[in-house]
Amino acid sequence: MKYVSTRGHSASQTFTDILLEGLAPDGGLMVPEQWPRLTRPKLDVMRDLPYPRLAFEILRFFADDFPGAELKALAERTYTAEVFGTPEITPLSTLEPNLHLLALSNGPTLAFKDVAMQLLGNLFESVLEKQDRHLNVLGATSGDTGSAAEHALKGKARVNVFMLSPHGRMSPFQRAQMYALQDSNVFNIAIEGMFDDCQDVVKSVNLDPEFKARHAIGAVNSINWARVVAQVVYYFKGYFAATGTNDEQASFAVPSGNFGNIFAGYVAKRMGLPIRRLVLATNENDVLDEFFRTGRYRPRKAAETQATSSPSMDISRASNFERFVWDAVDQDGDKVAWLWKQLEEKGGFDLSTDRAWEKIEDDSGFVSGRSTHEDRVKTIRHVKERYGVVIDPHTADGVKIALRVREPRHPMICLETALPAKFDETIVEALGEHAPRPASFEGIEALPQRYEVMRADPEAVKAYIASRTDLHRGSMQ
Ligand SMILES: *Cc1c(COP(=O)(O)O)cnc(C)c1O
């Protein structure tokens, strides 16, 4: 499998080549040259596989430059009951006939990002070892991504994690999840400012190619292709669990922000998994809902992005969306480059009169909707009263739209993207009681914490990274 850029002007690369990279040199995102297609017999065999084997069967299509035995061992080491709570990894539960929840958030940080990040940590370790390289992952987080990355990379050889977070602006629970890590390769930097300030610092460091190269700066952000592939697996798992045979169709409802999760569902559909609808749910930050309703893509400015009670979906532009548009315009890189130039120059583009729009409306399976805080609170209450289950505010955004568009004859699978314990404030507002908290998380706020408070100053952050990585280098074998 070769990977090409969505903008058509970068040399093709392998899975290993793109594993540690961010953007393609021409500014696009890397995508497979063609989608693997599953035959019916292959799909039938996959139906009964345990999660790690299923993950291996899907990964090997995309990572065919990895030795099979190694990939298989890696999947088996990643997807264990010890890390994800059950041997099923992403168990399906049924609220009522043809209405299901797919639990994606039983990993170490209680959000679905663990499913991909845990694999990424092991892939990084393996490739860095083979290439005799080291990597300093630098990122900014408002909560979920940073903690998932730290828990996936902690204690790994050849990797350090430098994670910037807004000082005093995360919940005590989120803070504890990150700052209580005692591993010597994890560096928490609490920036005096907001999340945007953290992101600006990261951008600014990345604009210094000399520093980047000298300190082997890398990222684990949501455009990472391996993360998308890892997420394809649970669409298969959920489909098999909710249907009796591969003749049936099932729909998925996906709380969306950067378009990474639902794009994985789209990839599964393109591979031949019988997915009927992909229900895209947004909160008040509704750029994606607007696109799927109107054909117009109009990313917001950071200042227009609202802070909501489903904070992990508070995005202004959906970074993986370019991969979908590339496929919708028949993989025409020049057209994607032109559209993204429109974005830069005019702040948006309009596909509603394009040939691609017909294809999106007729074949892509996407339907969309948005929720408000009020909707989330009502949905959390409704699901608790009707089914006795407590869901988190992000999952509620998905369930809300799922209930509106589901068809009685086809299973609707709602992706549960976080556990309610992470967002207790909204649960208390909706239910008048605290969210259930897994036993191993009792009292984590009281654990000793390790972090450095710094100004939002790229030079100071660079100096900090340099001092830590030089130390590290000095002690390396
Ligand atoms: C990241 C996140 C999302 C959004 O997923 P995308 O892949 O960015 O669309 C939804 N819910 C939770 C809990 C998240 O952490």
Side-chain angles (χ1 to χ4, degrees):
M1 163 103 31
K2 286 282 181 196
Y3 289 87
V4 295
S5 166
T6 49
R7 302 201 191 165
H9 290 279
S10 298
S12 67
Q13 291 186 297
T14 65
F15 182 84
T16 304
D17 294 334
I18 65 171
L19 181 65
L20 304 176
E21 306 298 328
L23 291 179
D26 63 4
L29 305 183
M30 297 306 273
V31 275
E33 213 164 34
Q34 76 273 325
W35 302 113
R37 286 293 296 185
L38 290 171
T39 59
R40 178 60 193 258
K42 180 88 186 170
L43 202 58
D44 289 344
V45 169
M46 284 171 131
R47 176 168 277 275
D48 299 316
L49 295 179
Y51 197 99
R53 268 306 297 274
L54 183 62
F56 165 61
E57 293 298 336
I58 289 165
L59 276 165
R60 67 194 296 191
F61 283 112
F62 294 97
D64 57 357
D65 56 330
F66 255 74
E70 186 187 334
L71 205 56
K72 194 169 170 199
L74 213 136
E76 262 156 23
R77 205 159 70 236
T78 304
Y79 296 114
T80 64
E82 288 72 52
V83 177
F84 288 95
T86 69
E88 287 180 280
I89 310 301
T90 61
L92 185 90
S93 60
T94 300
L95 298 178
E96 63 181 44
N98 280 348
L99 184 65
H100 309 276
L101 271 183
L102 186 65
L104 305 180
S105 44
N106 295 319
T109 72
L110 310 185
F112 86 97
K113 295 199 170 65
D114 289 327
V115 179
M117 212 68 95
Q118 289 288 319
L119 182 79
L120 198 64
N122 287 330
L123 285 169
F124 271 25
E125 188 175 52
S126 151
V127 167
L128 292 172
E129 179 67 36
K130 270 192 262 184
Q131 300 183 349
D132 189 21
R133 285 169 65 183
H134 289 78
L135 192 70
N136 290 301
V137 168
L138 172 65
T141 187
S142 54
D144 285 351
T145 310
S147 63
E150 289 186 356
H151 282 261
L153 297 172
K154 72 188 169 86
K156 295 254 183 277
R158 296 172 177 273
V159 193
N160 291 312
V161 193
F162 295 89
M163 195 56 67
L164 278 54
S165 52
H167 187 41
R169 290 180 192 272
M170 292 189 297
S171 73
F173 184 85
Q174 287 179 313
R175 225 164 22 231
Q177 275 193 315
M178 292 177 58
Y179 299 174
L181 288 178
Q182 298 299 327
D183 305 79
S184 62
N185 71 331
V186 174
F187 300 94
N188 282 302
I189 303 176
I191 293 287
E192 290 173 333
M194 317 274 285
F195 169 64
D196 284 331
D197 299 309
C198 300
Q199 219 166 15
D200 287 345
V201 170
V202 171
K203 270 188 209 150
S204 163
V205 173
N206 278 306
L207 285 174
D208 180 345
E210 197 261 337
F211 180 87
K212 252 186 96 171
R214 184 150 45 89
H215 295 283
I217 301 294
V220 291
N221 45 29
S222 68
I223 60 168
N224 184 286
W225 177 250
R227 282 180 65 184
V228 175
V229 175
Q231 291 170 176
V232 172
V233 179
Y234 53 68
Y235 284 87
F236 281 79
K237 177 76 186 174
Y239 170 81
F240 293 139
T243 57
T245 76
N246 293 333
D247 296 320
E248 295 173 52
Q249 290 188 321
S251 298
F252 288 86
V254 189
S256 294
N258 270 317
F259 204 75
N261 196 353
I262 201 162
F263 184 68
Y266 179 74
V267 173
K269 187 172 161 66
R270 292 291 263 141
M271 290 172 73
L273 189 68
I275 294 181
R276 186 172 172 82
R277 288 182 170 172
L278 287 163
V279 180
L280 181 143
T282 72
N283 61 23
E284 291 88 334
N285 298 295
D286 58 357
V287 250
L288 290 170
D289 176 43
E290 182 180 339
F291 174 77
F292 284 102
R293 279 186 301 102
T294 67
R296 279 193 308 273
Y297 183 55
R298 237 173 13 107
R300 315 287 192 256
K301 296 189 180 66
E304 293 167 24
T305 307
Q306 296 183 42
T308 75
S309 50
S310 46
S312 300
M313 293 155 63
D314 292 348
I315 55 100
S316 45
R317 57 179 62 239
S319 44
N320 273 292
F321 185 59
E322 184 170 337
R323 289 186 162 121
F324 174 73
V325 171
W326 168 80
D327 205 45
V329 300
D330 295 325
Q331 314 192 343
D332 178 346
D334 287 329
K335 185 148 180 185
V336 174
W338 181 79
L339 289 168
W340 257 257
K341 196 154 166 270
Q342 303 293 301
L343 263 190
E344 246 171 61
E345 289 171 0
K346 301 188 179 144
F349 60 73
D350 186 352
L351 283 185
S352 66
T353 55
D354 194 287
R355 216 156 39 90
W357 185 242
E358 251 168 71
K359 225 175 98 183
I360 293 171
E361 286 204 303
D362 299 344
D363 306 335
S364 73
F366 276 90
V367 286
S368 75
R370 85 193 276 272
S371 305
T372 61
H373 176 72
E374 194 63 41
D375 294 324
R376 281 187 280 287
V377 168
K378 274 197 197 144
T379 305
I380 291 168
R381 210 174 281 146
H382 170 76
V383 170
K384 175 74 199 305
E385 280 166 7
R386 179 95 186 249
Y387 308 110
V389 174
V390 183
I391 55 172
D392 103 289
H394 304 78
T395 306
D397 283 327
V399 170
K400 150 102 207 275
I401 313 301
L403 291 174
R404 198 186 81 207
V405 304
R406 73 173 157 148
E407 306 157 290
R409 288 190 306 116
H410 299 284
M412 172 62 77
I413 303 165
C414 302
L415 301 192
E416 180 216 53
T417 56
L419 285 197
K422 285 194 98 161
F423 303 97
D424 191 46
E425 207 179 310
T426 305
I427 303 304
V428 171
E429 180 183 341
L431 304 178
E433 60 189 62
H434 289 287
R437 188 184 271 208
S440 53
F441 290 82
E442 285 307 335
I444 63 165
E445 291 92 340
L447 296 172
Q449 299 191 349
R450 250 178 92 237
Y451 61 96
E452 193 89 19
V453 180
M454 295 181 68
R455 281 172 299 116
D457 172 6
E459 293 311 316
V461 170
K462 279 191 214 169
Y464 179 81
I465 294 173
S467 70
R468 293 306 182 277
T469 54
D470 287 343
L471 258 180
H472 182 70
R473 205 177 292 150
S475 67
M476 256 162 30
Q477 303 299 303

